[in-house]
Every structure is written in C-alpha cells, then in structure tokens.
Amino acid sequence: MTAFPSVAATNKTSYSLTEAAYPIEVNGSVYTGQGLPVLVYKGNTYVPLRAMGDMLGASVAWNDRQGKVVISSGAAIAPCNNAFCDVLVTGSGGHYTVTGKGRVFEGVMQYAVEDGHDYLLEGHQLLDEGAPAWSPFSLKITIPPEQLPTNGTLTLELFENSAKDGSQINVLSIPLETFQ
C-alpha cells in the first residue's frame, strides 16, 4: 500500500484594503477617523457608515430583529409604504408624537419601539376605517428615562399582522431619536 499526499482545493477570496492617503470632506468638515480609517479597494473609497451618517445629519441604526441597517435623514420625505404614509415624528427625550395615515386590514395597526436589540414598547391602534381606505392616526409614545439607550437609536416599527398567518407585514421602520 502506498500513501500519496493530497491537497484539498480551497476557494478563499482575499481582499487587499489600504488606508486612504487623502482626506474625506463632508459639508466643509474633514473626517478625522477616530480609530476607524477610510479604506480603498480597487479604486473605491469605503468610509464608516455611522460616521458619514453623523456628518450628514442622518441617523444610522442596526435593526437586529430585521437584520438590516436603517438610515434616515431629517430632510427626507416622510416615509411611506403600502400600509403607512405621511408619517411624521415630533418630540425627544422619550416623549414622541407620531402622526400619519394607515391603510390596514380591518383597521388594526400594530406598533413597537425598539433599541436595536429589544422591544421596549408594543401596542396597537384601531383606525376609523380599514383598507383600502386611508385613515389618519396619532400615537403618543413615552419611553421611561431608564430604558432610553445611552448610545443607539430608538426606532418605531409600524406594521400590520397578516390575515393569512399572523406574521408582520408592511413593516415601516422610523427612527425616533439617536442617543450618543
């Protein structure tokens, strides 16, 4: 019996990133890095998302429950989807008023406030009419001071429960406030 050495083929992709040797300027301010460098790969510049959001006045938050990054700017048009539209948020420090229009099955809308990891508040509201009509809504949301994040974003999720299986559908995520 003879033994022959064998090598298993591996398909590992490697990336060669280099630190950018040039400054990044946003609205007249230069990004200083603060331990997070600007990187270059194949001629493209990559910057830390949260740092750029801060420099642009936008909130950047990780939504752990939905597994996605949510970026919002105060200058943006009021968020809208198939079930919720013209949503506006006012308030700060844990006291918020949310207004808008909803078009949900049997006129029952659901909402939750999360800190990127856990729901801090969950509820529902009955609208004057169910879909296909649009009905105005107004929510008063209060989060106790001890539940406010010290570093993170409070996000409101508006949604409806599917008549088919009860799952969340037409989810609209709206940042309430970013804490730093």
Side-chain angles (χ1 to χ4, degrees):
M1 196 185 275
T2 307
F4 293 99
S6 66
V7 177
T10 59
N11 285 337
K12 290 188 179 183
T13 303
S14 64
Y15 299 95
S16 178
L17 298 169
T18 58
E19 194 164 336
Y22 46 86
I24 302 295
E25 185 176 312
V26 178
N27 293 332
S29 297
V30 175
Y31 173 69
T32 58
Q34 302 171 0
L36 300 171
V38 173
L39 301 173
V40 178
Y41 173 68
K42 291 188 175 181
N44 292 300
T45 304
Y46 294 86
V47 296
L49 193 56
R50 184 175 306 279
M52 285 302 102
D54 291 346
M55 291 182 80
L56 291 167
S59 74
V60 177
W62 172 252
N63 184 315
D64 199 41
R65 293 177 73 77
Q66 294 183 341
K68 67 179 181 180
V69 173
V70 178
I71 303 170
S72 302
S73 170
I77 296 171
C80 205
N81 68 9
N82 290 330
F84 303 99
C85 208
D86 300 333
V87 180
L88 298 173
V89 176
T90 58
S92 64
H95 300 280
Y96 312 96
T97 300
V98 181
T99 59
K101 296 186 295 189
R103 177 172 62 182
V104 294
F105 179 71
E106 293 187 349
V108 181
M109 64 178 275
Q110 308 292 327
Y111 63 92
V113 176
E114 55 97 15
D115 63 2
H117 303 286
D118 300 307
Y119 278 157
L120 305 178
L121 173 71
E122 296 179 75
H124 69 277
Q125 182 160 329
L126 297 175
L127 303 181
D128 291 336
E129 297 181 72
W134 286 100
S135 291
F137 67 85
S138 180
L139 301 171
K140 297 281 188 193
I141 295 173
T142 301
I143 305 296
E146 63 273 7
Q147 288 186 304
L148 296 174
T150 55
N151 187 14
T153 300
L154 281 181
T155 302
L156 171 67
E157 293 177 1
L158 301 175
F159 57 94
E160 62 180 315
N161 289 331
S162 167
K164 185 176 181 180
D165 61 11
S167 64
Q168 291 182 1
I169 58 171
N170 292 318
V171 178
L172 184 64
S173 297
I174 303 155
L176 294 175
E177 187 172 5
T178 299
F179 298 85
Q180 295 180 10

